[in-house]
Amino acid sequence: MNSQRERSGKAWVEFDQRARGSGRNLAGLGRELVPDDLLDVICKASDRDGHVREKAVLRMAAAGRAELLPALVLRAADWVPQVRVAAMRALVESLRADLEAAVPALLPVAVAIGERQHGRWLLGNLEDFLRAGSPELIRACLRIPDAKARQAVSAIVSDRRTVEDLVDTALTDRDTLIRVQCAKDAVRRSPEVASILLRRGVSGVRVVALFALREHTDLLEAALDDRSGHVRSVAQYLLTRAGGDPAARYRALVAAGDPPSVGALGGLADVGTPEDASLVLPWLAHPLPRGRAEVVRALRRFRAVSVPTLVPLLTDSPVVSRQVVAALTDHAALVDEDHLWTLVDSDVAPFVRIGALRLLRERGSWEQAITDLRLAITRDDELARIARESLAHGYGQRLTYLQPRPAQRARLDALLERADPDLAGYLRPWLKDS
């Protein structure tokens, strides 16, 4: 049994919905939640018939098994009053018997269904228990594997935790949302911790710290070339609000860098002007792939794309190649078609072939059709399968009022002669003289 899934509120809700829906693979899903000897009762607890569900609730209450508590939570929000009341009584007894064991077991499903019409009763009580509970209970609930439940617990008990504990969680927790929430709570209670969070936190935490430090323009300037685009954009906004000039700062950083940082190049790509193209262009030779990618992004944004300059970078690293394809998309007709087909047909990395194909297919509707037809005829792989699906479903009325140019028509006719009848049938109806 998968202990992670056992405690997942989403998994229990999915089980309940499937039981009342298609019922497909219900037993398989149930075995991931409870041992085999409890499978029958949880299936009956989610039956469409309210009488069956009520009897199952009474069986679960009598069994007293901790594994059945999530199923009782579901039924405590049931739309049939008799089922709901029986489940509520069973849950109250469980909480009375062992509060510190029951609360962590109930929380995942209680959080998952808390917005239902009858779901708030249990979740509200569990929140009260947490606010007044022992440190041991809080620690146990903060160890729950279910992400949504842990996020809810973290928000509920925030005021009971020390600033040091909040800072530690903001810096180390595995859940980004919890990190950010703890950072906000820590800064709200003790603004001086923002500098620690800015130095050591993940990007979301650094953003929280920047807002807390918005009066410190030196720190805002230092954050302008942050490795995270999100952090850079916040630093740019706050510095502009404070009367600073992010673009001027980026120009200085790029001009002084040897090489400039990736963040400086990315920042200038964010806020620079076309006049900055000459400043970033030499750094197409940046030693880091992300640096080269940011230069390509900048050239695209500055509308300073040079097709001969960028085409060789199609075979660069994936992060660079993606930016090159995006930059060349509006100029696809200017890229040498034979070179693109050489990339498609050669033994290069898959991302290079896919990028070349995207540019081939961006040269117009009939060029896309020719590309797909050639792939479907000449290859026997995943690219050919995608091309066939595109021919079968991807054109529709786009070709109705368009006819291929004479050179395109000649290429089409040559390919159609080699195509099987099904393939040819996808395109011939759109050719006027067919």
mmCIF file of all heavy atoms in Angstrom, residues 374-416:
data_model
loop_
_atom_site.group_PDB
_atom_site.id
_atom_site.type_symbol
_atom_site.label_atom_id
_atom_site.label_comp_id
_atom_site.label_asym_id
_atom_site.label_seq_id
_atom_site.Cartn_x
_atom_site.Cartn_y
_atom_site.Cartn_z
ATOM 1 N N ARG A 374 5.532 15.234 -46.911
ATOM 2 C CA ARG A 374 6.885 14.679 -47.101
ATOM 3 C C ARG A 374 7.285 13.814 -45.913
ATOM 4 O O ARG A 374 7.862 12.729 -46.093
ATOM 5 C CB ARG A 374 7.874 15.825 -47.300
ATOM 6 C CG ARG A 374 9.315 15.360 -47.441
ATOM 7 C CD ARG A 374 10.216 16.489 -47.875
ATOM 8 N NE ARG A 374 11.630 16.139 -47.738
ATOM 9 C CZ ARG A 374 12.635 16.913 -48.145
ATOM 10 N NH1 ARG A 374 12.375 18.091 -48.713
ATOM 11 N NH2 ARG A 374 13.903 16.532 -47.983
ATOM 12 N N LEU A 375 6.998 14.268 -44.694
ATOM 13 C CA LEU A 375 7.318 13.466 -43.520
ATOM 14 C C LEU A 375 6.565 12.145 -43.533
ATOM 15 O O LEU A 375 7.134 11.085 -43.239
ATOM 16 C CB LEU A 375 6.971 14.238 -42.248
ATOM 17 C CG LEU A 375 7.898 15.363 -41.815
ATOM 18 C CD1 LEU A 375 7.273 16.113 -40.646
ATOM 19 C CD2 LEU A 375 9.262 14.801 -41.422
ATOM 20 N N ALA A 376 5.276 12.202 -43.844
ATOM 21 C CA ALA A 376 4.447 10.993 -43.815
ATOM 22 C C ALA A 376 4.905 9.972 -44.849
ATOM 23 O O ALA A 376 4.772 8.760 -44.645
ATOM 24 C CB ALA A 376 2.988 11.363 -44.042
ATOM 25 N N ILE A 377 5.468 10.461 -45.958
ATOM 26 C CA ILE A 377 5.892 9.557 -47.028
ATOM 27 C C ILE A 377 7.286 8.995 -46.770
ATOM 28 O O ILE A 377 7.538 7.803 -46.995
ATOM 29 C CB ILE A 377 5.871 10.300 -48.385
ATOM 30 C CG1 ILE A 377 4.425 10.607 -48.794
ATOM 31 C CG2 ILE A 377 6.560 9.480 -49.478
ATOM 32 C CD1 ILE A 377 4.319 11.497 -50.004
ATOM 33 N N THR A 378 8.171 9.832 -46.283
ATOM 34 C CA THR A 378 9.591 9.452 -46.241
ATOM 35 C C THR A 378 10.054 8.891 -44.900
ATOM 36 O O THR A 378 11.165 8.383 -44.812
ATOM 37 C CB THR A 378 10.475 10.666 -46.591
ATOM 38 O OG1 THR A 378 10.248 11.713 -45.623
ATOM 39 C CG2 THR A 378 10.145 11.182 -47.989
ATOM 40 N N ARG A 379 9.235 9.008 -43.855
ATOM 41 C CA ARG A 379 9.686 8.552 -42.537
ATOM 42 C C ARG A 379 8.708 7.525 -41.965
ATOM 43 O O ARG A 379 7.552 7.461 -42.371
ATOM 44 C CB ARG A 379 9.837 9.730 -41.573
ATOM 45 C CG ARG A 379 10.845 10.766 -42.027
ATOM 46 C CD ARG A 379 10.926 11.902 -41.027
ATOM 47 N NE ARG A 379 11.578 11.507 -39.789
ATOM 48 C CZ ARG A 379 12.862 11.690 -39.543
ATOM 49 N NH1 ARG A 379 13.651 12.249 -40.436
ATOM 50 N NH2 ARG A 379 13.398 11.318 -38.391
ATOM 51 N N ASP A 380 9.184 6.785 -41.016
ATOM 52 C CA ASP A 380 8.350 5.803 -40.310
ATOM 53 C C ASP A 380 8.667 5.900 -38.830
ATOM 54 O O ASP A 380 9.266 5.001 -38.243
ATOM 55 C CB ASP A 380 8.620 4.392 -40.844
ATOM 56 C CG ASP A 380 7.713 3.353 -40.185
ATOM 57 O OD1 ASP A 380 6.652 3.770 -39.652
ATOM 58 O OD2 ASP A 380 8.069 2.172 -40.175
ATOM 59 N N ASP A 381 8.300 7.004 -38.221
ATOM 60 C CA ASP A 381 8.609 7.232 -36.814
ATOM 61 C C ASP A 381 7.539 8.133 -36.217
ATOM 62 O O ASP A 381 6.469 8.351 -36.821
ATOM 63 C CB ASP A 381 10.006 7.851 -36.660
ATOM 64 C CG ASP A 381 10.163 9.155 -37.442
ATOM 65 O OD1 ASP A 381 9.143 9.683 -37.961
ATOM 66 O OD2 ASP A 381 11.307 9.661 -37.540
ATOM 67 N N GLU A 382 7.818 8.656 -35.032
ATOM 68 C CA GLU A 382 6.844 9.498 -34.348
ATOM 69 C C GLU A 382 6.536 10.757 -35.142
ATOM 70 O O GLU A 382 5.397 11.230 -35.172
ATOM 71 C CB GLU A 382 7.371 9.852 -32.951
ATOM 72 C CG GLU A 382 6.437 10.711 -32.108
ATOM 73 C CD GLU A 382 5.162 9.997 -31.691
ATOM 74 O OE1 GLU A 382 5.051 8.771 -31.918
ATOM 75 O OE2 GLU A 382 4.267 10.670 -31.152
ATOM 76 N N LEU A 383 7.537 11.319 -35.813
ATOM 77 C CA LEU A 383 7.298 12.515 -36.624
ATOM 78 C C LEU A 383 6.327 12.213 -37.758
ATOM 79 O O LEU A 383 5.467 13.045 -38.090
ATOM 80 C CB LEU A 383 8.616 13.046 -37.181
ATOM 81 C CG LEU A 383 9.628 13.598 -36.164
ATOM 82 C CD1 LEU A 383 10.888 14.062 -36.868
ATOM 83 C CD2 LEU A 383 9.008 14.738 -35.372
ATOM 84 N N ALA A 384 6.452 11.042 -38.359
ATOM 85 C CA ALA A 384 5.529 10.661 -39.433
ATOM 86 C C ALA A 384 4.110 10.491 -38.894
ATOM 87 O O ALA A 384 3.133 10.886 -39.559
ATOM 88 C CB ALA A 384 6.007 9.373 -40.092
ATOM 89 N N ARG A 385 3.997 9.908 -37.705
ATOM 90 C CA ARG A 385 2.663 9.732 -37.120
ATOM 91 C C ARG A 385 2.002 11.088 -36.869
ATOM 92 O O ARG A 385 0.820 11.287 -37.179
ATOM 93 C CB ARG A 385 2.764 8.948 -35.807
ATOM 94 C CG ARG A 385 1.421 8.616 -35.176
ATOM 95 C CD ARG A 385 1.580 8.081 -33.764
ATOM 96 N NE ARG A 385 2.108 9.100 -32.864
ATOM 97 C CZ ARG A 385 1.362 10.087 -32.359
ATOM 98 N NH1 ARG A 385 0.083 10.213 -32.677
ATOM 99 N NH2 ARG A 385 1.901 10.962 -31.531
ATOM 100 N N ILE A 386 2.770 12.029 -36.306
ATOM 101 C CA ILE A 386 2.225 13.362 -36.045
ATOM 102 C C ILE A 386 1.833 14.030 -37.359
ATOM 103 O O ILE A 386 0.792 14.701 -37.458
ATOM 104 C CB ILE A 386 3.261 14.202 -35.278
ATOM 105 C CG1 ILE A 386 3.483 13.603 -33.879
ATOM 106 C CG2 ILE A 386 2.811 15.653 -35.162
ATOM 107 C CD1 ILE A 386 4.622 14.251 -33.117
ATOM 108 N N ALA A 387 2.659 13.853 -38.397
ATOM 109 C CA ALA A 387 2.357 14.458 -39.695
ATOM 110 C C ALA A 387 1.063 13.897 -40.270
ATOM 111 O O ALA A 387 0.238 14.637 -40.838
ATOM 112 C CB ALA A 387 3.519 14.217 -40.649
ATOM 113 N N ARG A 388 0.871 12.578 -40.148
ATOM 114 C CA ARG A 388 -0.377 11.983 -40.649
ATOM 115 C C ARG A 388 -1.596 12.534 -39.902
ATOM 116 O O ARG A 388 -2.631 12.825 -40.517
ATOM 117 C CB ARG A 388 -0.325 10.449 -40.507
ATOM 118 C CG ARG A 388 0.532 9.766 -41.553
ATOM 119 C CD ARG A 388 0.551 8.251 -41.369
ATOM 120 N NE ARG A 388 1.199 7.592 -42.468
ATOM 121 C CZ ARG A 388 0.607 7.194 -43.579
ATOM 122 N NH1 ARG A 388 -0.703 7.376 -43.730
ATOM 123 N NH2 ARG A 388 1.279 6.600 -44.538
ATOM 124 N N GLU A 389 -1.476 12.662 -38.585
ATOM 125 C CA GLU A 389 -2.595 13.221 -37.824
ATOM 126 C C GLU A 389 -2.866 14.663 -38.232
ATOM 127 O O GLU A 389 -4.023 15.090 -38.320
ATOM 128 C CB GLU A 389 -2.287 13.145 -36.331
ATOM 129 C CG GLU A 389 -2.326 11.738 -35.767
ATOM 130 C CD GLU A 389 -2.122 11.726 -34.260
ATOM 131 O OE1 GLU A 389 -1.928 12.812 -33.678
ATOM 132 O OE2 GLU A 389 -2.169 10.628 -33.673
ATOM 133 N N SER A 390 -1.814 15.410 -38.486
ATOM 134 C CA SER A 390 -1.991 16.794 -38.918
ATOM 135 C C SER A 390 -2.679 16.853 -40.272
ATOM 136 O O SER A 390 -3.578 17.671 -40.487
ATOM 137 C CB SER A 390 -0.631 17.487 -38.988
ATOM 138 O OG SER A 390 -0.770 18.825 -39.423
ATOM 139 N N LEU A 391 -2.287 15.976 -41.194
ATOM 140 C CA LEU A 391 -2.945 15.937 -42.506
ATOM 141 C C LEU A 391 -4.410 15.557 -42.376
ATOM 142 O O LEU A 391 -5.267 16.090 -43.087
ATOM 143 C CB LEU A 391 -2.222 14.936 -43.417
ATOM 144 C CG LEU A 391 -0.847 15.369 -43.938
ATOM 145 C CD1 LEU A 391 -0.116 14.180 -44.530
ATOM 146 C CD2 LEU A 391 -0.990 16.486 -44.958
ATOM 147 N N ALA A 392 -4.702 14.635 -41.459
ATOM 148 C CA ALA A 392 -6.080 14.156 -41.314
ATOM 149 C C ALA A 392 -6.984 15.181 -40.635
ATOM 150 O O ALA A 392 -8.175 15.283 -40.960
ATOM 151 C CB ALA A 392 -6.092 12.855 -40.517
ATOM 152 N N HIS A 393 -6.426 15.967 -39.716
ATOM 153 C CA HIS A 393 -7.296 16.822 -38.892
ATOM 154 C C HIS A 393 -6.876 18.284 -38.826
ATOM 155 O O HIS A 393 -7.607 19.098 -38.263
ATOM 156 C CB HIS A 393 -7.338 16.279 -37.455
ATOM 157 C CG HIS A 393 -7.688 14.839 -37.360
ATOM 158 N ND1 HIS A 393 -8.926 14.350 -37.698
ATOM 159 C CD2 HIS A 393 -6.944 13.758 -36.984
ATOM 160 C CE1 HIS A 393 -8.943 13.034 -37.528
ATOM 161 N NE2 HIS A 393 -7.753 12.649 -37.094
ATOM 162 N N GLY A 394 -5.730 18.620 -39.356
ATOM 163 C CA GLY A 394 -5.164 19.923 -39.020
ATOM 164 C C GLY A 394 -5.395 21.055 -39.987
ATOM 165 O O GLY A 394 -4.875 22.144 -39.788
ATOM 166 N N TYR A 395 -6.137 20.847 -41.062
ATOM 167 C CA TYR A 395 -6.221 21.904 -42.069
ATOM 168 C C TYR A 395 -7.614 22.505 -42.199
ATOM 169 O O TYR A 395 -7.814 23.696 -42.053
ATOM 170 C CB TYR A 395 -5.727 21.367 -43.421
ATOM 171 C CG TYR A 395 -4.275 20.978 -43.353
ATOM 172 C CD1 TYR A 395 -3.904 19.651 -43.164
ATOM 173 C CD2 TYR A 395 -3.283 21.929 -43.406
ATOM 174 C CE1 TYR A 395 -2.579 19.291 -43.055
ATOM 175 C CE2 TYR A 395 -1.949 21.583 -43.298
ATOM 176 C CZ TYR A 395 -1.601 20.264 -43.130
ATOM 177 O OH TYR A 395 -0.303 19.921 -43.010
ATOM 178 N N GLY A 396 -8.612 21.659 -42.481
ATOM 179 C CA GLY A 396 -9.981 22.164 -42.560
ATOM 180 C C GLY A 396 -10.121 23.259 -43.602
ATOM 181 O O GLY A 396 -9.606 23.166 -44.716
ATOM 182 N N GLN A 397 -10.762 24.338 -43.215
ATOM 183 C CA GLN A 397 -11.079 25.398 -44.163
ATOM 184 C C GLN A 397 -9.923 26.357 -44.403
ATOM 185 O O GLN A 397 -10.045 27.294 -45.179
ATOM 186 C CB GLN A 397 -12.308 26.181 -43.680
ATOM 187 C CG GLN A 397 -13.562 25.329 -43.623
ATOM 188 C CD GLN A 397 -14.774 26.150 -43.223
ATOM 189 O OE1 GLN A 397 -14.640 27.258 -42.735
ATOM 190 N NE2 GLN A 397 -15.952 25.590 -43.432
ATOM 191 N N ARG A 398 -8.787 26.129 -43.734
ATOM 192 C CA ARG A 398 -7.651 27.026 -43.946
ATOM 193 C C ARG A 398 -7.192 27.022 -45.394
ATOM 194 O O ARG A 398 -6.632 28.005 -45.878
ATOM 195 C CB ARG A 398 -6.488 26.629 -43.033
ATOM 196 C CG ARG A 398 -6.636 27.100 -41.614
ATOM 197 C CD ARG A 398 -5.337 26.909 -40.865
ATOM 198 N NE ARG A 398 -4.977 25.492 -40.775
ATOM 199 C CZ ARG A 398 -3.748 25.058 -40.608
ATOM 200 N NH1 ARG A 398 -2.753 25.916 -40.543
ATOM 201 N NH2 ARG A 398 -3.495 23.771 -40.512
ATOM 202 N N LEU A 399 -7.378 25.908 -46.100
ATOM 203 C CA LEU A 399 -6.919 25.803 -47.481
ATOM 204 C C LEU A 399 -8.013 26.099 -48.496
ATOM 205 O O LEU A 399 -7.752 26.104 -49.699
ATOM 206 C CB LEU A 399 -6.359 24.395 -47.739
ATOM 207 C CG LEU A 399 -5.201 23.954 -46.838
ATOM 208 C CD1 LEU A 399 -4.763 22.549 -47.204
ATOM 209 C CD2 LEU A 399 -4.038 24.911 -46.943
ATOM 210 N N THR A 400 -9.242 26.346 -48.025
ATOM 211 C CA THR A 400 -10.371 26.493 -48.932
ATOM 212 C C THR A 400 -10.162 27.630 -49.920
ATOM 213 O O THR A 400 -10.439 27.506 -51.119
ATOM 214 C CB THR A 400 -11.665 26.738 -48.133
ATOM 215 O OG1 THR A 400 -11.865 25.649 -47.246
ATOM 216 C CG2 THR A 400 -12.858 26.863 -49.064
ATOM 217 N N TYR A 401 -9.698 28.767 -49.455
ATOM 218 C CA TYR A 401 -9.569 29.954 -50.306
ATOM 219 C C TYR A 401 -8.119 30.225 -50.691
ATOM 220 O O TYR A 401 -7.789 31.314 -51.166
ATOM 221 C CB TYR A 401 -10.146 31.172 -49.584
ATOM 222 C CG TYR A 401 -11.595 30.983 -49.189
ATOM 223 C CD1 TYR A 401 -11.954 30.742 -47.872
ATOM 224 C CD2 TYR A 401 -12.601 30.978 -50.153
ATOM 225 C CE1 TYR A 401 -13.275 30.535 -47.507
ATOM 226 C CE2 TYR A 401 -13.928 30.771 -49.807
ATOM 227 C CZ TYR A 401 -14.255 30.549 -48.480
ATOM 228 O OH TYR A 401 -15.558 30.346 -48.122
ATOM 229 N N LEU A 402 -7.246 29.246 -50.463
ATOM 230 C CA LEU A 402 -5.839 29.388 -50.817
ATOM 231 C C LEU A 402 -5.474 28.318 -51.828
ATOM 232 O O LEU A 402 -5.881 27.166 -51.698
ATOM 233 C CB LEU A 402 -4.948 29.222 -49.577
ATOM 234 C CG LEU A 402 -5.109 30.252 -48.454
ATOM 235 C CD1 LEU A 402 -4.299 29.805 -47.246
ATOM 236 C CD2 LEU A 402 -4.635 31.624 -48.914
ATOM 237 N N GLN A 403 -4.723 28.710 -52.840
ATOM 238 C CA GLN A 403 -4.185 27.729 -53.769
ATOM 239 C C GLN A 403 -2.671 27.829 -53.757
ATOM 240 O O GLN A 403 -2.110 28.912 -53.575
ATOM 241 C CB GLN A 403 -4.717 27.976 -55.183
ATOM 242 C CG GLN A 403 -6.152 27.513 -55.393
ATOM 243 C CD GLN A 403 -6.304 26.012 -55.142
ATOM 244 O OE1 GLN A 403 -5.716 25.192 -55.842
ATOM 245 N NE2 GLN A 403 -7.099 25.657 -54.128
ATOM 246 N N PRO A 404 -2.000 26.697 -53.892
ATOM 247 C CA PRO A 404 -0.534 26.733 -53.869
ATOM 248 C C PRO A 404 0.018 27.494 -55.069
ATOM 249 O O PRO A 404 -0.576 27.496 -56.151
ATOM 250 C CB PRO A 404 -0.148 25.257 -53.915
ATOM 251 C CG PRO A 404 -1.317 24.568 -54.539
ATOM 252 C CD PRO A 404 -2.518 25.333 -54.106
ATOM 253 N N ARG A 405 1.149 28.120 -54.849
ATOM 254 C CA ARG A 405 1.847 28.766 -55.956
ATOM 255 C C ARG A 405 2.359 27.695 -56.910
ATOM 256 O O ARG A 405 2.458 26.519 -56.545
ATOM 257 C CB ARG A 405 2.992 29.619 -55.425
ATOM 258 C CG ARG A 405 2.520 30.779 -54.549
ATOM 259 C CD ARG A 405 3.687 31.705 -54.188
ATOM 260 N NE ARG A 405 4.724 31.013 -53.436
ATOM 261 C CZ ARG A 405 4.713 30.873 -52.136
ATOM 262 N NH1 ARG A 405 3.709 31.361 -51.417
ATOM 263 N NH2 ARG A 405 5.708 30.220 -51.524
ATOM 264 N N PRO A 406 2.686 28.061 -58.144
ATOM 265 C CA PRO A 406 3.108 27.037 -59.122
ATOM 266 C C PRO A 406 4.242 26.143 -58.611
ATOM 267 O O PRO A 406 4.200 24.919 -58.795
ATOM 268 C CB PRO A 406 3.543 27.871 -60.330
ATOM 269 C CG PRO A 406 2.696 29.105 -60.241
ATOM 270 C CD PRO A 406 2.544 29.391 -58.785
ATOM 271 N N ALA A 407 5.252 26.746 -57.979
ATOM 272 C CA ALA A 407 6.365 25.921 -57.479
ATOM 273 C C ALA A 407 5.886 24.981 -56.375
ATOM 274 O O ALA A 407 6.310 23.814 -56.304
ATOM 275 C CB ALA A 407 7.485 26.817 -56.968
ATOM 276 N N GLN A 408 4.995 25.469 -55.518
ATOM 277 C CA GLN A 408 4.450 24.611 -54.468
ATOM 278 C C GLN A 408 3.616 23.489 -55.070
ATOM 279 O O GLN A 408 3.679 22.334 -54.624
ATOM 280 C CB GLN A 408 3.603 25.440 -53.503
ATOM 281 C CG GLN A 408 4.375 26.413 -52.634
ATOM 282 C CD GLN A 408 3.455 27.276 -51.798
ATOM 283 O OE1 GLN A 408 2.372 27.671 -52.253
ATOM 284 N NE2 GLN A 408 3.874 27.586 -50.575
ATOM 285 N N ARG A 409 2.841 23.847 -56.114
ATOM 286 C CA ARG A 409 1.975 22.845 -56.737
ATOM 287 C C ARG A 409 2.813 21.726 -57.365
ATOM 288 O O ARG A 409 2.461 20.540 -57.283
ATOM 289 C CB ARG A 409 1.091 23.506 -57.785
ATOM 290 C CG ARG A 409 0.126 22.531 -58.464
ATOM 291 C CD ARG A 409 -0.768 21.859 -57.417
ATOM 292 N NE ARG A 409 -1.517 20.755 -57.953
ATOM 293 C CZ ARG A 409 -2.769 20.856 -58.419
ATOM 294 N NH1 ARG A 409 -3.381 22.031 -58.403
ATOM 295 N NH2 ARG A 409 -3.395 19.811 -58.870
ATOM 296 N N ALA A 410 3.934 22.089 -57.955
ATOM 297 C CA ALA A 410 4.802 21.072 -58.553
ATOM 298 C C ALA A 410 5.337 20.124 -57.489
ATOM 299 O O ALA A 410 5.382 18.895 -57.691
ATOM 300 C CB ALA A 410 5.943 21.755 -59.300
ATOM 301 N N ARG A 411 5.744 20.670 -56.357
ATOM 302 C CA ARG A 411 6.239 19.818 -55.273
ATOM 303 C C ARG A 411 5.122 18.942 -54.720
ATOM 304 O O ARG A 411 5.330 17.756 -54.397
ATOM 305 C CB ARG A 411 6.842 20.671 -54.171
ATOM 306 C CG ARG A 411 8.132 21.362 -54.581
ATOM 307 C CD ARG A 411 8.402 22.592 -53.749
ATOM 308 N NE ARG A 411 8.568 22.287 -52.338
ATOM 309 C CZ ARG A 411 8.373 23.188 -51.369
ATOM 310 N NH1 ARG A 411 7.966 24.419 -51.662
ATOM 311 N NH2 ARG A 411 8.563 22.847 -50.116
ATOM 312 N N LEU A 412 3.930 19.525 -54.592
ATOM 313 C CA LEU A 412 2.783 18.759 -54.104
ATOM 314 C C LEU A 412 2.457 17.598 -55.030
ATOM 315 O O LEU A 412 2.243 16.464 -54.596
ATOM 316 C CB LEU A 412 1.563 19.671 -53.965
ATOM 317 C CG LEU A 412 1.321 20.335 -52.618
ATOM 318 C CD1 LEU A 412 0.192 21.347 -52.740
ATOM 319 C CD2 LEU A 412 0.973 19.302 -51.558
ATOM 320 N N ASP A 413 2.405 17.884 -56.330
ATOM 321 C CA ASP A 413 2.056 16.825 -57.283
ATOM 322 C C ASP A 413 3.056 15.686 -57.221
ATOM 323 O O ASP A 413 2.685 14.499 -57.272
ATOM 324 C CB ASP A 413 1.992 17.413 -58.700
ATOM 325 C CG ASP A 413 0.750 18.281 -58.901
ATOM 326 O OD1 ASP A 413 -0.198 18.140 -58.109
ATOM 327 O OD2 ASP A 413 0.753 19.105 -59.838
ATOM 328 N N ALA A 414 4.340 16.039 -57.092
ATOM 329 C CA ALA A 414 5.365 14.997 -57.024
ATOM 330 C C ALA A 414 5.184 14.137 -55.777
ATOM 331 O O ALA A 414 5.349 12.906 -55.826
ATOM 332 C CB ALA A 414 6.751 15.639 -57.044
ATOM 333 N N LEU A 415 4.854 14.759 -54.670
ATOM 334 C CA LEU A 415 4.646 14.006 -53.435
ATOM 335 C C LEU A 415 3.354 13.200 -53.477
ATOM 336 O O LEU A 415 3.302 12.058 -52.996
ATOM 337 C CB LEU A 415 4.628 14.961 -52.232
ATOM 338 C CG LEU A 415 5.965 15.591 -51.858
ATOM 339 C CD1 LEU A 415 5.758 16.722 -50.843
ATOM 340 C CD2 LEU A 415 6.919 14.540 -51.283
ATOM 341 N N LEU A 416 2.298 13.778 -54.048
ATOM 342 C CA LEU A 416 1.011 13.080 -54.109
ATOM 343 C C LEU A 416 1.101 11.824 -54.963
ATOM 344 O O LEU A 416 0.396 10.839 -54.714
ATOM 345 C CB LEU A 416 -0.072 14.015 -54.645
ATOM 346 C CG LEU A 416 -0.508 15.118 -53.682
ATOM 347 C CD1 LEU A 416 -1.404 16.133 -54.382
ATOM 348 C CD2 LEU A 416 -1.235 14.534 -52.475
#
